[in-house]
Amino acid sequence: MRFKPKYRWLPTPYRSMLLLIVWLLLNQSVEAVHVFFGIILALLIPMLTLRFRDPQPLIERPLLALRYILRVFADIITANAQVAVLILGPKRRLNPAFVRVPLDLQHELPITILASTVSMTPGTVSAEIYPSAELLVPGEPLPQRWLLIHVLNMGDEAELIASIKQRYEAPLKEIFQC
Amino acid sequence: MQHWMEWAVAFFLLLGGSFVLIGSIGLSRMPDFFMRLHGPTKATTLGMGGILLGSIFFFSISGDVSVHELLITIFLLITAPISAHMLIKTALHHKLKAIEKTAGLENIHPAQQKQHDRQPKP
Amino acid sequence: MLDNVIMLVFAMISVALLLNLWRLLRGPSLPDRILALDTMYINSIALIILYGLLMGSPLYFEAALLIAMLGFVSTVAVCKFLLRGDIIE
């Protein structure tokens, strides 16, 4: 994991890019004036707000991150078809469950992304991460952390855990190199 | 207005509308809170995506290219998991009952315990 | 044809809003009501966008964006209040 940015004037390159895109979308134009002002804002805002934030790990493999985003989009669409069928189907046949998934990731940002992904994809909502961050004693080695998820209709528990770990957690580990 | 574009707008609007409806049906007919949460977080978000896509097509064919609806879609996609997480955390904190046949109820216990014996901040 | 489709989608979202209202009134617990309110604001964004389509005016977009932002913040604020008894610690 790498925390130190490459250039001091560009501490968070992807956030700057997102800010520029949002600015252009708000103005609905790609005229030179808007692009120019957007670039100024995209450079200025991260520099001004950097000190409010804890340093976050940087994305090391942008192409892999792009592929991850596309995969999650595809999964959201298939997931919704499945959930729609489950919701309209008979209630008696649903088998809800609470499952805990052991986490290999350690830092907060990758865990947050993993939890959000799990919330958006097939029949699962992430509920809690424990032991929570405020219970961790600084200086001691990190204990094994668990992600508690609620599943709308569970088939095989081991298979579900394996698919989450292999489909979402492994690419995140690659992207942040941790 | 070209004919096939009109069909595309109609298709996306209907798709979005039905997903929004399915999300609300899930909200109203599921037996416990944890199952109710699934409908609004997933189906409603995709439904909004469909409606906004329809809107993008509609304004793009009847005038200038209009893409700022994408902003709302992105915003909803980012915020939906966060509000779902806050809601389910609140539900666990209030010890809401899940229905009887829910498997793995013992897995909740450590999470709830940890919240209650929270050490006071120095 | 498009006008009829828009009207149909209007009807669908109105039914969805009524279902949410039912859940909001019935409860039974506080998180249920917050969830119902959360879904209601998202559905009302859909209504505003559809109204913009019907009027053929892109101006309603700004209102929809504002509702999206304020709704998210208020959901999180109420949840935080229920969790900790305080919003800003």
Side-chain angles (χ1 to χ4, degrees):
Chain A
M1 244 186 295
R2 202 160 56 91
F3 288 89
K4 212 144 175 60
K6 219 171 191 175
Y7 310 104
R8 272 200 72 191
W9 51 271
L10 190 67
T12 52
Y14 299 105
R15 196 178 299 152
S16 299
M17 215 150 78
L18 185 73
L19 278 172
L20 177 63
I21 292 173
V22 167
W23 180 256
L24 291 180
L25 277 178
L26 266 177
N27 280 308
Q28 282 226 70
S29 79
V30 279
E31 278 172 45
V33 188
H34 292 301
V35 176
F36 180 68
F37 198 57
I39 288 175
I40 289 181
L41 283 178
L43 290 178
L44 210 61
I45 291 174
M47 266 199 267
L48 285 178
T49 56
L50 190 67
R51 287 176 157 211
F52 296 127
R53 304 168 182 274
D54 299 331
Q56 302 291 350
L58 296 169
I59 296 172
E60 301 260 359
R61 308 275 303 273
L63 278 180
L64 213 62
L66 193 68
R67 226 181 77 193
Y68 181 78
I69 292 173
L70 291 180
R71 172 189 285 180
V72 170
F73 263 111
D75 281 359
I76 286 173
I77 293 169
T78 51
N80 273 290
Q82 285 171 16
V83 168
V85 171
L86 287 179
I87 284 174
L88 295 177
K91 274 185 280 187
R92 271 174 291 111
R93 260 195 255 146
L94 293 177
N95 295 311
F98 280 97
V99 179
R100 53 179 198 169
V101 182
L103 290 173
D104 291 340
L105 301 166
Q106 309 235 305
H107 197 271
E108 303 290 328
L109 181 69
I111 291 181
T112 311
I113 297 175
L114 179 68
S116 300
T117 316
V118 165
S119 284
M120 293 310 292
T121 46
T124 49
V125 171
S126 54
E128 186 72 271
I129 291 142
Y130 62 89
S132 63
E134 35 195 57
L135 282 174
L136 301 178
V137 189
E140 280 183 19
L142 282 171
Q144 169 72 54
R145 300 180 85 180
W146 304 84
L147 177 67
L148 180 70
I149 59 182
H150 182 261
V151 190
L152 185 56
N153 187 18
M154 191 167 71
D156 184 21
E157 182 173 346
E159 194 186 319
L160 178 78
I161 292 176
S163 87
I164 287 177
K165 286 191 82 70
Q166 177 250 320
R167 204 172 161 75
Y168 304 122
E169 198 180 11
L172 279 176
K173 265 162 86 177
E174 278 278 301
I175 289 169
F176 290 99
Q177 298 281 316
C178 55
Chain B
M1 192 184 286
Q2 290 117 322
H3 199 249
W4 65 272
M5 282 302 246
E6 199 170 325
W7 278 103
V9 175
F11 170 75
F12 279 118
L13 284 183
L14 278 177
L15 188 82
S18 39
F19 268 112
V20 169
L21 186 57
I22 286 171
S24 289
I25 290 174
L27 177 69
S28 66
R29 87 184 264 265
M30 285 294 152
D32 72 350
F33 174 79
F34 302 101
M35 292 166 81
R36 271 173 221 145
L37 193 58
H38 286 274
T41 48
K42 296 191 195 67
T44 307
T45 312
L46 189 73
M48 286 307 295
I51 289 179
L52 291 164
L53 216 58
S55 164
I56 290 175
F57 272 114
F58 180 85
F59 285 116
S60 298
I61 49 182
S62 62
D64 303 328
V65 176
S66 149
V67 279
H68 57 192
E69 281 89 347
L70 272 182
L71 264 182
I72 300 185
T73 317
I74 296 172
F75 189 79
L76 285 179
L77 265 180
I78 295 174
T79 57
I82 299 171
S83 36
H85 178 69
M86 290 302 282
L87 281 164
I88 200 165
K89 235 173 132 78
T90 315
L92 287 178
H93 185 71
H94 282 217
K95 302 200 164 150
L96 290 195
K97 289 270 176 293
I99 52 165
E100 297 267 313
K101 67 175 176 183
T102 308
L105 278 176
E106 70 278 358
N107 286 340
I108 311 179
H109 201 59
Q112 261 175 348
Q113 283 261 302
K114 289 285 157 39
Q115 268 186 357
H116 272 270
D117 324 328
R118 201 156 54 90
Q119 283 151 355
K121 277 187 185 155
Chain C
M1 181 198 79
L2 208 51
D3 280 356
N4 291 336
V5 169
I6 290 177
M7 277 301 162
L8 182 66
V9 180
F10 254 123
M12 281 166 142
I13 292 173
S14 308
V15 173
L17 271 171
L18 282 177
L19 287 171
N20 296 343
L21 188 66
W22 187 73
R23 179 52 70 197
L24 178 69
L25 294 177
R26 177 131 185 288
S29 62
L30 263 176
D32 277 304
R33 292 174 211 266
I34 305 172
L35 178 61
L37 265 181
D38 188 75
T39 319
M40 271 178 108
Y41 91 73
I42 296 181
N43 290 4
S44 62
I45 296 171
L47 271 190
I48 290 178
I49 294 281
L50 279 179
Y51 190 67
L53 281 187
L54 201 63
M55 296 287 119
S57 146
L59 285 178
Y60 293 92
F61 159 80
E62 324 277 327
L65 192 62
L66 275 181
I67 291 184
M69 292 183 165
L70 289 179
F72 167 66
V73 171
S74 57
T75 305
V76 171
V78 176
C79 283
K80 187 97 182 161
F81 181 72
L82 287 184
L83 271 173
R84 297 293 185 84
D86 210 342
I87 297 172
I88 302 167
E89 288 170 53

